[in-house]
């Protein structure tokens, strides 16, 4: 249903059948996708949010509205999602993706952090964000309400996903930990810098003399490990915490040690190196599962890998 107004969401949530449209909706046995469009204030109103939550809990797919110019002079969240985005969600639904994540809140981090050296330079990494975006896209198509925390990714926003942009590891940590408080699942697909310069220079560092100045580094917090620690300490936490591991050698042994160290439920271990994984549309991985056998995912599109990861996560949510 596009556009789905605040009025139609309210009627659908309460099962009203006062006209042909709502009659049709009440008799529908097929998956139902709503593409909302309304003013920001209406979208954010607790009544609308409660109606959206009701519809999602029942298995309907409510796409997150886009952010942009609205019908008046105002702009903000509430714009009808791009037709291509609506089409993508519908196509995924028709492809047989069951809405098994409907009513679930998931947080996915993607991309690579940048740690500022000075206003123009940073320490970064080669992560393109493609795998994280695939995870977010597939989760949304399976009905989840998705927050995608994107670190320096230059890909279009996936349909129906709430995208929060961050730059550094510290910003990523703050955003992920806050979103994790009411999430069912967190998947840390972002490549987080292990170290950052102790202090970023406020001005551009000049080359004085012949010798370069040393850059002193300090350790960044390990966000994935922290999520696990918080859960063990009894903080309100996601039921499933998943991580990624990029390894160049001894993939399985390193992965297993990392999983034990970080205390997560699932670890997707990628072999990285020249022409492997970074910036390519394909990926292969071994998924390590707490109290279970490792699952091999053969090389294929990143969306397919995302599908298997969500299958494994969904199995742990029931
Ligand atoms: N990760 C994190 N915070 C960090 C570093 C990594 O949350 N400061 C997360 C990543 O998002 C990923 C997982 O931990 O899900 C593993 O990342 P990886 O870079 O493979 O592991 P490291 O902890 O950096 O270990 P090492 O450098 O020894 O391989």
């Amino acid at each position: 249903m596009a556009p789905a107004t605040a009025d139609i969401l309210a009627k659908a949530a309460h099962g009203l059948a006062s006209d042909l449209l709502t009659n049709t909706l009440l008799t529908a046995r097929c998956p139902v996708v709503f593409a909302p469009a309304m003013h920001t204030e209406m979208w954010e109103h607790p009544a609308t949010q409660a109606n959206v939550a009701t519809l999602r809990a029942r298995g309907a797919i409510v796409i997150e509205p886009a952010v942009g110019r609205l019908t008046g002079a105002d702009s903000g969240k509430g714009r009808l999602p791009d037709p291509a985005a609506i089409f993508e969600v519908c196509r995924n639904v028709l492809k047989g993706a069951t809405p098994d994540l409907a009513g679930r809140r998931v947080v996915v981090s993607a991309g690579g952090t940048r740690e500022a050296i000075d206003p123009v330079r940073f320490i970064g990494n080669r992560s393109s964000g493609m795998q994280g975006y695939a995870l977010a896209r597939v989760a949304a198509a399976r009905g989840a309400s998705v927050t995608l925390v994107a670190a320096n990714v230059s890909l279009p926003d996936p349909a129906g996903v709430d995208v929060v942009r961050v730059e550094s590891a510290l910003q990523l940590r703050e955003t992920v930990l806050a979103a994790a408080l009411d999430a069912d699942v967190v998947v840390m697909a972002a490549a987080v810098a292990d170290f950052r310069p102790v202090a970023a220079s406020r001005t551009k560092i000049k080359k004085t003399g012949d010798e370069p100045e040393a850059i002193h580094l300090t350790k960044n917090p390990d966000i994935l490990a922290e999520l696990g620690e918080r859960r063990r300490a009894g903080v309100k936490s996601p039921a499933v915490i998943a991580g990624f591991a990029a390894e160049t050698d001894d993939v399985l042994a390193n992965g297993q040690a990392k999983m034990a160290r970080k205390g997560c439920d699932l670890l997707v271990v990628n072999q990285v190196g020249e022409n492997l994984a970074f910036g390519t549309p394909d990926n292969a991985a071994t998924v390590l599962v707490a109290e279970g056998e490792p699952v091999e995912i053969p090389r294929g599109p990143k969306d397919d890998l995302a599908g298997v990861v969500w299958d494994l996560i969904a199995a742990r949510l029931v």
Side-chain angles (χ1 to χ4, degrees):
M1 183 169 298
T5 59
D7 180 68
I8 204 79
L9 292 175
K11 284 181 173 149
H14 293 278
L16 298 188
S18 46
D19 54 24
L20 185 56
L21 181 61
T22 45
N23 267 273
T24 310
L25 203 51
L26 202 56
T27 56
R29 294 276 184 274
C30 56
V32 177
V33 178
F34 292 95
M38 63 197 74
H39 292 287
T40 308
E41 293 81 355
M42 298 169 95
W43 172 253
E44 288 177 350
H45 196 286
T48 306
Q49 286 302 307
N51 292 332
V52 168
T54 302
L55 291 167
R56 282 178 175 159
R58 256 182 230 145
I61 294 156
V62 184
I63 306 179
E64 285 293 314
V67 176
R69 183 72 196 268
L70 303 173
T71 46
D74 54 340
S75 58
K77 189 164 183 176
R79 192 177 156 86
L80 183 70
D82 192 50
I86 300 172
F87 177 74
E88 198 182 308
V89 173
C90 296
R91 195 172 53 115
N92 277 321
V93 169
L94 293 173
K95 234 169 50 183
T98 47
D100 58 345
L101 296 171
R104 303 290 190 178
R105 288 182 172 278
V106 313
V107 179
V108 178
S109 71
T113 65
R114 289 181 180 177
E115 311 303 316
I117 296 171
D118 69 11
V120 293
R121 306 180 182 96
F122 58 83
I123 298 174
N125 62 69
R126 291 184 193 278
S127 176
S128 65
M130 283 170 82
Q131 186 60 70
Y133 271 51
L135 282 155
R137 188 165 50 240
V138 170
R142 285 165 68 158
S145 171
V146 185
T147 301
L148 175 59
V149 187
N152 312 296
V153 181
S154 53
L155 295 169
D157 288 359
V161 165
D162 227 354
V163 183
V164 185
R165 281 170 219 290
V166 297
E167 196 171 307
S168 66
L170 292 182
Q171 290 168 352
L172 185 79
R173 172 182 174 274
E174 200 176 311
T175 311
V176 167
L177 292 186
L181 282 175
D182 54 11
D184 299 293
V185 181
V186 172
V187 182
M188 284 292 297
V192 185
D194 292 325
F195 302 97
R196 68 175 185 279
V198 172
S201 168
R202 247 197 287 241
T203 52
K204 189 180 168 201
I205 298 170
K206 296 289 191 189
K207 50 175 185 299
T208 47
D210 292 333
E211 287 301 310
E213 250 187 75
I215 298 170
H216 295 284
L217 302 179
T218 183
K219 212 166 181 185
N220 269 330
D222 188 322
I223 305 161
L224 185 59
E226 208 172 331
L227 285 164
E229 278 157 28
R230 284 161 67 106
R231 187 167 61 179
R232 281 192 298 281
V235 179
K236 192 161 170 274
S237 290
V240 180
I241 299 172
F244 271 68
E247 303 293 346
T248 53
D249 54 276
D250 254 342
V251 174
L252 263 188
N254 281 331
Q256 249 133 13
K258 194 168 281 181
M259 183 153 168
R261 202 166 63 233
K262 306 227 179 197
C264 53
D265 308 299
L266 232 83
L267 192 73
V268 186
V269 189
N270 278 137
Q271 182 150 22
V272 291
E274 244 175 296
N275 298 330
L276 284 174
F278 288 123
T280 63
D282 283 359
N283 202 0
T286 305
V287 187
L288 305 179
V289 183
E291 300 120 35
E293 288 299 307
V295 178
E296 287 292 335
I297 308 179
R299 184 157 301 282
K302 286 181 173 171
D303 273 39
D304 291 2
L305 189 140
V308 179
V309 171
W310 285 118
D311 289 345
L312 294 169
I313 290 174
R316 300 181 81 88
L317 281 173
V318 288

